[in-house]
Amino acid sequence: MTLRLRIILIVAAGLLLTSLALLGSGWIAQQLQQERIAQLAQQAQSSLWEQILAAEEQDMDAGLDKLAAMPAFVKAAKALDSNALDGKALEKALIAQNLYPGEDQQIQLIAVLRPGREPFSLGRAAPQPLLDNSSLEQLFSGEVINGLRLGSGNIAMVISARLLAVDGEPVAIVAGRHIGGALHRLGQRGGLQASLIDLRGSLIATTNADLWQQIEPRIAPRQSQYFEADIGQRIHTVTSHQVRDLAQHDVGSLVTIKDQTEQSQASRFLNRLTAGVALALIACGLLGLSWYLRHSFKPLEQAIAALQALATGNTDVLLHHARNDEIGRIAKAVTSFRSSARELARTRSLHDRVRRRQEQLIHQQLQQLADATDMTSREEVLQLLQSGSDAQSAGPGEDNQLRQLALVMSDLTRRIVDQHQRLSSMVVELREALVTKTRLAGLQQELQIAAEVQRSILPQQMPEDPRLQMHCHITPAREVGGDFYDYFMLDDEHLGMVVADVSGKGIPAALFMAITRTLLKSTAAFVTAPSPCIRRLNDLLAAENEQMMFVTVFYGVLHLPSGQLRYVNAGHNPPYLLSASNQVQTLARTGGVAVAVSEEFPYQEAVLQLHPGDRLFLFTDGVTEAFNAEQQEYGDKRLVSTLQSAAAHCQQPEELNRVVLQSVRDFEDGAPQADDITCVSLRYCGP
């Protein structure tokens, strides 16, 4: 990457970071401004709503004054006589005063209340209950009650109540108007659409039902909100705040929707224009910087070309340096370097002629050295050359220096001859080592062949029988090992299977393993029952066992149609049963000792009933006796834990073996394998 490109990238990165910082600060400022606008909008909405409610209450207070001035109404109210209120004369009087309840009247509800008696009302359906207990207490104590009342059925009204000036028991009259009138008045004054919802988000009243349906999913009933919403081709601002009833309890939210399309579109256009102008300015700045750097770096590129020519030996290159800046000074330095290079070339030519004369004097000594041997000891050669340099500085004159150099070369010749003799003796030793290495390689090759032969005698093809699935794996700790497994069909219905571990490792264990496997398989062909078969095998191996080797064996015969397994455990690790319900348990021991330990040992056998889906996991102690770098043992508990975690998702025998082997490798964490590892998994599929 050129310097010019790096400068452009650095400047571009700086501009980008600056732009991102400005955009980030602008976004933060915009968010703060948006929060201030939201607060002001909510305050304005709340203030306007209070004014609307006050206007509604003022209208109803005027109506209540007229009602209180009508003797007939006061008399009927005091007597709680609804028939009198419905009478023709009183009805005409109320209609004449525009006080009879109606949808378009000054008062849409008239109710009369007395303590301990059922109220009666005229006009619209009243919220139930009409007033709460605290409001009733305030009313009958002489206070004037004004405000919003939300009752059952989401009936919301603006209520105004007062006591009548009568003797005896107090009588209260209540006037009410539906909240829809207040919402329409709010919409007319603010140039907006208004809706009232309860605390559950249910709509109570609205001035525009279609617009409310589009904005409803974004409203949180119990929160104050302010946001913009794109509805169709128009942009609206939505403002909501909590409203309270007569008892100053939060009963819902007032939501206003105002069309701000022109203002929002202008703001968005201004933001896009600002971003476009900023990008254009950045692009123009980068293009200008690129042109300037290209023009300014052209002399520097010429200086680099001149240096490259001088490096190849071309001292005829010319360089103009009319500029007086840093690049011009570099060009002057290159010109000075060119003059120095020419002088150096002339000096080198003179030195070459002197060196050729000196080479003629020492040619004979160098020829003797070349005929004797090669220089192999760098340290001794450096010491001899250093002593020759000290001798040259002792005597003046070129001839004296050459004589001293000849003496140094004679001494060097003697040293190299001695070294040659030592090397000759080392060559003899290396030849003997090579013979030993060749023999070792032959032994290693024989071990590899033995390992291949051992692997070849183990069965490779799994039984092709739909009644069971099987998978086997063996990893020797050395080239050959003492573990082995085998399986063979005794007849059409019986499968013999064995897992064994010979004591020791290496070639002796491998030979004993081959003998044991051959004798067991040949014996099982005639003695099918597990217990007599192992007893016969033990007698054969223990008869002439001078090396005192032994083998632990688990041998079982599976009846494929019924799933019955008869087995003998001769000192081997007990296998595990993974039932179809993913339970893990150890097979019962039969109390037998290892084979080839004692002749005529009475081996006992056990019976296990397998069900479809049951799995058996057979293994050697190389699994449980694996060690990590801290010499910690893998152990039976960790194996049981691994089998329990794998029981549910490892239905295939191959998967079960792979999970156990991976668990052992993860535990060893690179530590060398301590013993042969053998795993055999079997899944009984049913008859």
Side-chain angles (χ1 to χ4, degrees):
M1 183 182 295
T2 62
L3 177 61
R4 183 178 65 190
L5 182 57
R6 289 200 295 268
I7 292 175
I8 293 175
L9 291 178
I10 292 172
V11 173
L15 291 175
L16 179 61
L17 292 177
T18 303
S19 301
L20 291 177
L22 292 176
L23 289 175
S25 61
W27 182 84
I28 294 174
Q30 186 178 6
Q31 293 300 314
L32 295 176
Q33 182 67 19
Q34 191 74 11
E35 292 180 1
R36 288 193 294 270
I37 293 174
Q39 292 176 357
L40 293 175
Q42 291 169 355
Q43 292 175 359
Q45 175 179 294
S46 177
S47 176
L48 183 58
W49 176 246
E50 295 295 333
Q51 294 177 10
I52 296 299
L53 288 182
E56 293 284 318
E57 295 164 359
Q58 185 176 1
D59 290 345
M60 289 186 293
D61 286 342
L64 289 178
D65 291 340
K66 293 180 181 180
L67 287 175
M70 297 177 64
F73 177 81
V74 173
K75 180 179 179 181
K78 184 176 181 181
L80 282 182
D81 188 356
S82 59
N83 294 326
L85 290 176
D86 293 336
K88 296 297 182 180
L90 184 55
E91 180 179 348
K92 289 181 179 181
L94 292 173
I95 293 174
Q97 295 292 331
N98 290 326
L99 297 177
Y100 196 81
E103 291 296 330
D104 56 348
Q105 296 299 320
Q106 182 179 8
I107 296 177
Q108 299 175 356
L109 169 71
I110 298 176
V112 179
L113 304 176
R114 295 185 67 177
R117 302 179 66 177
E118 289 293 329
F120 68 87
S121 60
L122 296 176
R124 293 184 65 112
Q128 297 299 326
L130 184 60
L131 295 175
D132 55 67
N133 293 331
S134 62
S135 299
L136 286 174
E137 292 177 0
Q138 294 176 2
L139 178 62
F140 287 117
S141 64
E143 297 183 17
V144 177
I145 301 300
N146 292 317
L148 176 66
R149 177 60 179 164
L150 176 63
S152 60
N154 275 355
I155 299 176
M157 302 190 76
V158 180
I159 299 296
S160 182
R162 66 173 62 181
L163 287 177
L164 284 176
V166 296
D167 297 332
E169 188 177 5
V171 177
I173 56 175
V174 181
R177 298 189 67 179
H178 188 261
I179 198 63
L183 293 180
H184 282 286
R185 180 178 290 184
L186 176 64
Q188 291 175 356
R189 289 189 59 179
L192 45 81
Q193 303 296 331
S195 301
L196 184 65
I197 60 175
D198 61 13
L199 295 177
R200 295 185 300 273
S202 301
L203 181 65
I204 299 174
T206 182
T207 60
N208 191 326
D210 294 337
L211 190 60
W212 167 252
Q213 290 180 356
Q214 299 183 59
I215 205 67
E216 180 182 8
R218 300 182 59 181
I219 298 300
R222 298 178 181 271
Q223 298 179 4
S224 297
Q225 295 177 283
Y226 179 83
F227 59 89
E228 286 189 355
D230 294 342
I231 303 176
Q233 301 296 325
R234 310 297 293 175
I235 302 173
H236 298 75
T237 57
V238 180
T239 307
S240 68
H241 77 280
Q242 300 290 312
V243 295
R244 297 183 175 183
D245 60 359
L246 294 170
Q248 297 302 310
H249 297 152
D250 291 337
V251 295
S253 296
L254 176 65
V255 183
T256 60
I257 307 172
K258 189 171 184 178
D259 191 339
Q260 298 282 357
T261 302
E262 288 76 12
Q263 297 87 334
S264 298
Q265 287 179 346
S267 176
R268 294 180 182 180
F269 172 76
L270 181 60
N271 291 336
R272 289 194 295 268
L273 180 62
T274 302
V277 170
L279 291 176
L281 290 176
I282 291 174
C284 291
L286 292 177
L287 290 176
L289 177 63
S290 176
W291 176 86
Y292 174 76
L293 291 177
R294 183 176 181 182
H295 178 73
S296 299
F297 275 61
K298 190 173 182 180
L300 181 59
E301 293 175 354
Q302 294 175 354
I304 294 173
L307 286 174
Q308 291 174 346
L310 291 173
T312 59
N314 182 11
T315 58
D316 297 329
V317 63
L318 297 177
L319 183 63
H320 301 284
H321 44 83
R323 297 175 57 172
N324 196 26
D325 54 5
E326 291 81 357
I327 297 178
R329 291 196 292 272
I330 291 175
K332 293 178 181 179
V334 172
T335 302
S336 300
F337 178 73
R338 171 178 170 272
S339 301
S340 300
R342 283 189 167 186
E343 183 65 26
L344 179 62
R346 289 192 294 267
T347 304
R348 182 178 297 172
S349 177
L350 178 60
H351 287 173
D352 288 340
R353 291 194 297 269
V354 174
R355 179 178 53 81
R356 283 193 294 270
R357 290 197 298 268
Q358 293 174 349
E359 287 177 353
Q360 293 176 359
L361 296 175
I362 63 174
H363 178 72
Q364 294 179 354
Q365 291 291 335
L366 291 178
Q367 185 64 41
Q368 293 178 3
L369 291 175
D371 294 338
T373 184
D374 295 331
M375 298 176 61
T376 57
S377 179
R378 184 174 181 274
E379 290 76 8
E380 293 181 1
V381 171
L382 291 177
Q383 291 177 2
L384 291 174
L385 291 176
Q386 183 63 37
S387 63
S389 299
D390 296 339
Q392 292 174 13
S393 61
E398 183 176 351
D399 294 337
N400 185 45
Q401 294 177 359
L402 292 176
R403 284 194 300 271
Q404 294 297 332
L405 182 59
L407 292 175
V408 171
M409 296 303 294
S410 295
D411 184 66
L412 180 60
T413 302
R414 179 184 57 79
R415 291 176 177 271
I416 293 178
V417 170
D418 294 340
Q419 186 178 13
H420 175 70
Q421 294 175 354
R422 292 195 301 271
L423 289 176
S424 297
S425 62
M426 292 176 61
V427 168
V428 175
E429 295 176 358
L430 287 175
R431 287 176 181 174
E432 295 176 355
L434 182 59
V435 173
T436 305
K437 181 178 180 182
T438 303
R439 294 176 181 174
L440 179 60
L443 291 176
Q444 290 179 344
Q445 185 176 8
E446 292 176 359
L447 285 175
Q448 292 177 357
I449 295 173
E452 294 177 359
V453 171
Q454 186 182 30
R455 286 194 295 269
S456 65
I457 66 175
L458 296 178
Q460 303 297 325
Q461 299 294 331
M462 298 299 110
E464 296 182 357
D465 194 306
R467 293 171 290 188
L468 79 159
Q469 296 175 348
M470 198 170 185
H471 183 266
C472 305
H473 175 85
I474 185 168
T475 303
R478 299 179 182 176
E479 287 79 1
V480 293
D483 285 6
F484 75 92
Y485 63 85
D486 200 358
Y487 46 84
F488 41 84
M489 295 298 296
L490 300 176
D491 52 37
D492 293 339
E493 295 184 351
H494 291 85
L495 172 72
M497 56 181 178
V498 59
V499 175
D501 183 5
V502 178
S503 60
K505 303 179 183 65
I507 294 178
L511 293 176
F512 199 75
M513 162 261 185
I515 295 172
T516 303
R517 177 182 178 275
T518 303
L519 290 176
L520 175 61
K521 194 167 185 178
S522 60
T523 303
F526 301 97
V527 183
T528 58
S531 177
C533 180
I534 297 300
R535 189 178 307 150
R536 176 60 179 164
L537 175 65
N538 177 63
D539 294 340
L540 291 173
L541 292 176
E544 297 180 358
N545 189 9
E546 297 180 358
Q547 291 76 20
M548 299 302 295
M549 298 187 71
F550 61 89
V551 55
T552 63
V553 179
F554 177 89
Y555 175 61
V557 177
L558 175 62
H559 186 233
L560 296 176
S562 64
Q564 185 184 64
L565 177 67
R566 300 170 61 196
Y567 65 90
V568 171
N569 191 336
H572 197 75
N573 301 82
Y576 288 95
L577 170 64
L578 285 71
S579 64
S581 59
N582 300 325
Q583 299 296 320
V584 179
Q585 61 185 17
T586 307
L587 268 64
R589 299 177 182 268
T590 60
V593 299
V595 174
V597 173
S598 175
E599 295 185 54
E600 299 182 358
F601 185 84
Y603 289 96
Q604 304 296 324
E605 66 180 47
V607 179
L608 173 67
Q609 181 62 46
L610 295 179
H611 302 282
D614 287 351
R615 290 152 290 168
L616 283 178
F617 180 73
L618 296 81
F619 63 99
T620 60
D621 56 4
V623 175
T624 56
E625 294 180 5
F627 291 89
N628 59 13
E630 289 76 20
Q631 294 301 310
Q632 295 176 341
E633 189 180 50
Y634 186 78
D636 292 321
K637 291 184 179 180
R638 188 173 278 104
L639 176 58
V640 172
S641 177
T642 301
L643 293 175
Q644 288 176 345
S645 62
H649 63 273
C650 294
Q651 297 297 324
Q652 299 300 321
E654 183 177 0
E655 295 178 355
L656 184 59
N657 281 350
R658 184 172 63 250
V659 169
V660 173
L661 290 172
Q662 186 61 44
S663 175
V664 173
R665 296 296 180 237
D666 293 341
F667 174 79
E668 289 178 337
D669 193 20
Q673 183 175 331
D675 197 0
D676 304 334
I677 295 177
T678 302
C679 298
V680 176
S681 294
L682 180 142
R683 183 174 185 267
Y684 180 64
C685 302

